[in-house]
């Protein structure tokens, strides 16, 4: 069963409570999303490290219930 966008946002915010999360369903199928995540936790980290934090927040659902997630991450201005 595909993941709901609200579930993705909840998982991210549980791991990164200050995160601002914007999720778009790219194909309308609940399997292909794009997410923009802004969090102070990303400050000073490489893009790879930032993405790893988000993938960890998804608790192993990436590649299973969640087929594809295009990520844009950044620290607040």
């Amino acid at each position: 069963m595909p993941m709901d966008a609200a579930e993705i946002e909840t998982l991210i915010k549980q791991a990164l409570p200050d995160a601002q999360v914007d999720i778009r369903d790219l194909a309308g199928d609940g399997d292909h999303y794009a997410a923009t995540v802004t969090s102070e936790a990303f400050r000073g980290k490489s893009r790879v490290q930032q993405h790893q934090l988000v993938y960890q927040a998804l608790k192993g659902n990436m590649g299973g219930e969640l087929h594809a997630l295009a990520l844009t991450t950044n620290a607040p201005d």
Side-chain angles (χ1 to χ4, degrees):
M1 174 188 283
M3 283 187 84
D4 174 274
E7 184 178 358
I8 296 168
E9 182 173 354
T10 298
L11 288 171
I12 293 170
K13 286 189 171 192
Q14 284 175 350
L16 304 165
D18 73 317
Q20 293 179 342
V21 182
D22 176 45
I23 299 176
R24 296 174 314 282
D25 188 340
L26 298 176
D29 60 4
D31 272 343
H32 299 81
Y33 291 99
T36 301
V37 183
T38 303
S39 173
E40 189 61 41
F42 298 148
R43 191 167 308 281
K45 293 187 172 38
S46 70
R47 191 73 58 201
V48 169
Q49 291 170 322
Q50 292 174 17
H51 288 202
Q52 287 172 335
L53 286 173
V54 175
Y55 292 138
Q56 288 170 1
L58 295 173
K59 301 180 180 179
N61 288 302
M62 194 66 221
E65 287 184 54
L66 179 57
H67 180 71
L69 180 65
L71 270 178
T72 302
T73 56
N74 51 61
D77 291 335

